[in-house]
Amino acid sequence: MEQFVRRRLVRYALAYAWLLIISTFTAFPFFWMLTSSFKARPEIFTRIPVLFPKEPTLANYNYVLTETPAGRYFLNSLYIATVTTLLALVLTTLGAYALSRFQFRMRRSLGVWLIAGQMFPGVLMLIPLFVTLTRLNLVNTYAGLIIVYTMGALPFSTWMLKGYFDTVPRELEDSAMIDGCSRVGAIRRVFLPVAAPGIAAVALFAFTIAWQEFMFALTMMKDQEKYPLSVGINFFVGIAGSVVWGNIMAMAVLIIVPGLIFFLFLQRYMISGLTAGAVKG
Amino acid sequence: MSTKTLSVPLPEGLERLSRRLSNRHITPYYYLLPTVIPLLLLTVYPLLRGIYLAFTQYNLYNKDTTLVGAFNFIELTTNDTLFWGALANNILWTVGIVAITYVLGLFTSIALNENIPLRGLFRGLALIPWVCPAVVAALTWRWIFDPHFGMLNYALMELGLINRQIGWLGDKNTALAATMVVAIWKLLPFSVVMLLAGLQTVPEELYEAGAIDGAGVLGRFRYITVPLLNRVGKIAILLTTIWAFNHFDSVYVLTGGGPGDTTMLLSIMSYLNAFRFFKIGYASAVGVVMLILLLLPITLYTRQVLEDVE
């Protein structure tokens, strides 16, 4: 017995030691970003790095929000990501429902396409999409980016959501339909409330794609005032030089906070959604 | 009956059409079409078009397309000094990232699977890079890697591991490794989530039975954990391979392919050709080479996922 206890203690100690190392690696950049965004210049350009600012200042945020278009970038990103999320939610729910509930020809090939479709090299898709969107006058517009992001989110979200819908018993809608609901009514009143966690996962996934994406935005947005945050911060570094770290870190915090809030609330759904298709107990 | 059909053929036809359209075999398509049509337009079409462009010389301004056969590919493999180096970098980069991410993810998920206090906090900390856009990650790490004001050099010098400042991103010997660290940082959460989910399907009794039968920690790891993680592990490895191979954002921001092309990856090479030198066809050819190299992992992944469903 004593031996078991000792073994368990050793295991716990090892687990803690490893988790401390790995979370230093994963979390340090965030810590650094956050504390540095409150540092004044002298505390940034030191040979001995300052971990916690001794005289925290809001000067970086003040500068970034008043002297740079960061606020504008933020609104651009928010608009693009919100519309993308809504579009993806509607399209994904419809498609995933059909894949989960109906038998039809091409079901398998569609599944293959949904799984494989997100794996193709981004640049290979970027070039023809750029050519096509140029022709449709959609380059340098929010709509163009929204379309691209929605399509980027669609394959994987549809597949993920189908996996989630499969776990919702079919009898639920059947009994509602026997009670006189139409299929659409049954979906709306009975199915969707039960499937909500899976749909939340799709929302998080689509929002994250639109909020974080860089390459397409870099290529497609020409006007500075239309830049989303990812391109905006890189542009700012390009003109200000990579030395105004305090300002850059303040901007970085502005980018990360919405995603972080979203993530904290929906983390559980994201994980269950992501693994639903991949892990069968 | 027959006269009726003759006199009003249209309503009858329309009725049949409407009956056919409300047939339950058609219903799935009402749900699918809004998803499938844009999906086809925006994924199938660009893919086919991209492959086609690889066999052309395309002028972005006057939209002139000239078919040139395999010219781009021949030029790429025989005349471009960058290509083979970028290909080698890409493979080294991908293999290194996948291996390290998997090992780190495995250890982390095993530690997180222990029923220890503060487990939730540590899980959150391990997953947090997920919310960080690659651009922001790249900029923050650029500062950490800075030779004069960066945290890394300071910490390593304090620990006595190095005795002079290293310009991690500017030095040809370390730049590729430094960009890999950032990519691993960003991919680790996914690996942890997948492997942790896999571990949680392993019943505790299995380990207890193993312990009773005299299997040590390593034995149980080797004969219980590893085989049971086989499936999830395969999926995690294939996905990280594909993502790492296609990666663009953080390397573009960190080094842009330099110094001296030591961090030049195929995606960056393709991007620069397309949007800096406007060689659209040539850039597409690089993309097609990437696609060909990815066919195997993509096929394996798709097959694995479909197999699990059926």
Side-chain angles (χ1 to χ4, degrees):
Chain A
M1 197 60 213
E2 197 185 306
Q3 203 193 357
F4 269 110
V5 173
R6 204 183 311 141
R7 249 193 215 154
R8 172 151 294 181
L9 279 178
V10 170
R11 256 168 54 188
Y12 279 18
L14 282 175
Y16 270 121
W18 177 257
L19 289 176
L20 273 176
I21 296 172
I22 211 74
S23 24
T24 308
F25 173 59
T26 54
F28 180 76
F30 286 93
F31 167 81
W32 193 237
M33 196 188 291
L34 193 66
T35 56
S36 302
S37 69
F38 295 106
K39 287 177 195 164
R41 277 183 78 88
E43 289 190 315
I44 284 175
F45 294 101
T46 56
R47 277 201 19 84
I48 301 163
V50 180
L51 283 181
F52 294 96
K54 283 184 197 69
E55 291 163 38
T57 162
L58 285 172
N60 291 316
Y61 289 94
N62 192 20
Y63 178 84
V64 159
L65 288 171
T66 56
E67 305 293 318
T68 74
R72 176 77 208 215
Y73 300 156
F74 190 92
L75 291 178
N76 291 340
S77 274
L78 194 64
Y79 175 69
I80 294 170
T82 309
V83 179
T84 302
T85 308
L86 293 176
L87 271 176
L89 277 183
V90 174
L91 296 178
T92 317
T93 308
L94 285 172
Y97 186 81
L99 274 169
S100 166
R101 291 300 194 257
F102 301 124
Q103 290 295 333
F104 52 91
R105 248 180 286 164
M106 313 266 287
R107 186 163 178 267
R108 198 190 147 87
S109 23
L110 186 63
V112 170
W113 189 256
L114 289 177
I115 301 164
Q118 52 182 349
M119 304 294 169
F120 303 133
V123 276
L124 182 61
M125 309 296 273
L126 171 70
I127 297 164
L129 272 175
F130 181 78
V131 171
T132 308
L133 292 173
T134 308
R135 201 167 289 171
L136 297 171
N137 281 326
L138 283 171
V139 163
N140 198 23
T141 64
Y142 298 123
L145 268 193
I146 289 169
I147 292 173
V148 169
Y149 293 163
T150 308
M151 291 313 123
L154 218 53
F156 187 67
S157 322
T158 309
W159 185 256
M160 178 166 94
L161 201 55
K162 175 211 173 282
Y164 196 88
F165 284 179
D166 284 346
T167 65
V168 178
R170 197 180 280 257
E171 290 76 32
L172 228 56
E173 301 124 82
D174 289 349
S175 59
M177 277 155 79
I178 289 167
D179 290 347
C181 266
S182 65
R183 183 173 282 278
V184 175
I187 292 175
R188 202 160 51 90
R189 295 208 185 85
V190 184
F191 178 79
L192 284 185
V194 181
I199 298 172
V202 167
L204 180 61
F205 182 72
F207 187 88
T208 310
I209 285 195
W211 193 262
Q212 301 197 352
E213 206 283 331
F214 176 68
M215 187 177 71
F216 278 87
L218 176 73
T219 316
M220 294 200 5
M221 291 318 218
K222 302 279 176 249
D223 295 339
Q224 227 198 95
E225 71 265 25
K226 288 184 186 159
Y227 284 168
L229 278 165
S230 57
V231 179
I233 191 173
N234 192 49
F235 178 72
F236 175 71
V237 174
I239 49 172
S242 61
V243 286
V244 283
W245 290 116
N247 297 338
I248 298 169
M249 291 303 117
M251 230 187 241
V253 171
L254 289 180
I255 300 183
I256 282 171
V257 165
L260 196 62
I261 294 171
F262 220 161
F263 181 74
L264 288 179
F265 280 110
L266 297 178
Q267 189 197 133
R268 217 161 357 120
Y269 302 132
M270 183 72 190
I271 292 171
S272 63
L274 251 185
T275 48
V279 186
K280 286 265 161 79
Chain B
M1 203 51 193
S2 65
T3 51
K4 214 177 164 188
T5 332
L6 268 175
S7 58
V8 277
L10 198 66
E12 175 84 0
L14 270 182
E15 195 200 297
R16 203 162 48 219
L17 184 69
S18 102
R19 217 182 316 128
R20 197 174 286 172
L21 284 179
S22 56
N23 187 307
R24 32 193 314 271
H25 294 291
I26 302 286
T27 317
Y29 298 102
Y30 291 139
Y31 291 80
L32 277 170
L33 285 183
T35 317
V36 170
I37 291 177
L39 197 67
L40 289 178
L41 284 177
L42 281 125
T43 61
V44 180
Y45 173 73
L47 181 70
L48 297 177
R49 171 105 187 167
I51 294 170
Y52 168 74
L53 282 175
F55 296 94
T56 67
Q57 255 165 8
Y58 181 83
N59 188 317
L60 206 51
Y61 293 107
N62 58 22
K63 319 249 188 286
D64 237 12
T65 320
T66 327
L67 264 174
V68 290
F71 175 80
N72 289 328
F73 293 95
I74 294 165
E75 190 72 4
L76 194 63
T77 47
T78 56
N79 237 344
D80 195 322
T81 45
L82 217 53
F83 174 73
W84 293 106
L87 180 64
N89 285 344
N90 226 58
I91 290 170
L92 185 66
W93 208 74
T94 307
V95 171
I97 287 171
V98 171
I100 296 170
T101 310
Y102 187 78
V103 171
L104 293 183
L106 187 61
F107 287 168
T108 310
S109 57
I110 288 172
L112 285 173
N113 201 33
E114 292 288 336
N115 201 5
I116 52 173
L118 292 180
R119 181 175 147 181
L121 172 73
F122 278 116
R123 194 182 69 178
L125 289 176
L127 299 189
I128 194 172
W130 211 336
V131 302
C132 187
V135 179
V136 175
L139 291 171
T140 310
W141 279 97
R142 192 149 100 190
W143 186 11
I144 294 173
F145 285 137
D146 188 275
H148 307 297
F149 304 108
M151 193 66 202
L152 185 63
N153 273 341
Y154 174 76
L156 291 178
M157 280 170 95
E158 282 296 296
L159 292 170
L161 293 172
I162 55 171
N163 51 21
R164 56 175 188 88
Q165 290 172 332
I166 298 175
W168 299 97
L169 291 166
D171 188 320
K172 286 184 181 179
N173 298 314
T174 54
L176 192 67
T179 59
M180 284 167 72
V181 169
V182 183
I184 291 167
W185 184 79
K186 185 80 178 109
L187 282 172
L188 186 61
F190 176 75
S191 173
V192 171
V193 163
M194 292 300 269
L195 294 171
L196 188 58
L199 281 178
Q200 281 168 352
T201 63
V202 182
E204 185 64 27
E205 295 82 51
L206 223 54
Y207 289 104
E208 281 161 19
I212 288 165
D213 289 347
V217 176
L218 282 179
R220 273 172 288 167
F221 180 73
R222 168 73 187 81
Y223 292 104
I224 300 176
T225 313
V226 171
L228 281 167
L229 276 183
N230 198 3
R231 271 202 46 254
V232 181
K234 218 189 279 175
I235 290 182
I237 286 178
L238 286 170
L239 273 177
T240 6
T241 305
I242 296 164
W243 287 336
F245 195 87
N246 283 333
H247 191 83
F248 172 84
D249 295 3
S250 67
V251 182
Y252 181 82
V253 173
L254 280 166
T255 61
D261 298 325
T262 46
T263 60
M264 184 56 76
L265 301 178
L266 291 173
S267 61
I268 305 228
M269 184 183 168
S270 172
Y271 185 88
L272 294 179
N273 268 304
F275 298 104
R276 196 158 296 168
F277 312 129
F278 304 109
K279 292 158 81 175
I280 296 287
Y282 196 66
S284 302
V286 179
V288 169
V289 170
M290 292 174 73
L291 179 66
I292 292 169
L293 292 170
L294 276 178
L295 276 181
L296 182 67
I298 292 178
T299 315
L300 288 177
Y301 171 74
T302 310
R303 193 175 292 168
Q304 178 73 44
V305 174
L306 279 178
E307 195 179 286
D308 294 340
V309 173
E310 276 144 20

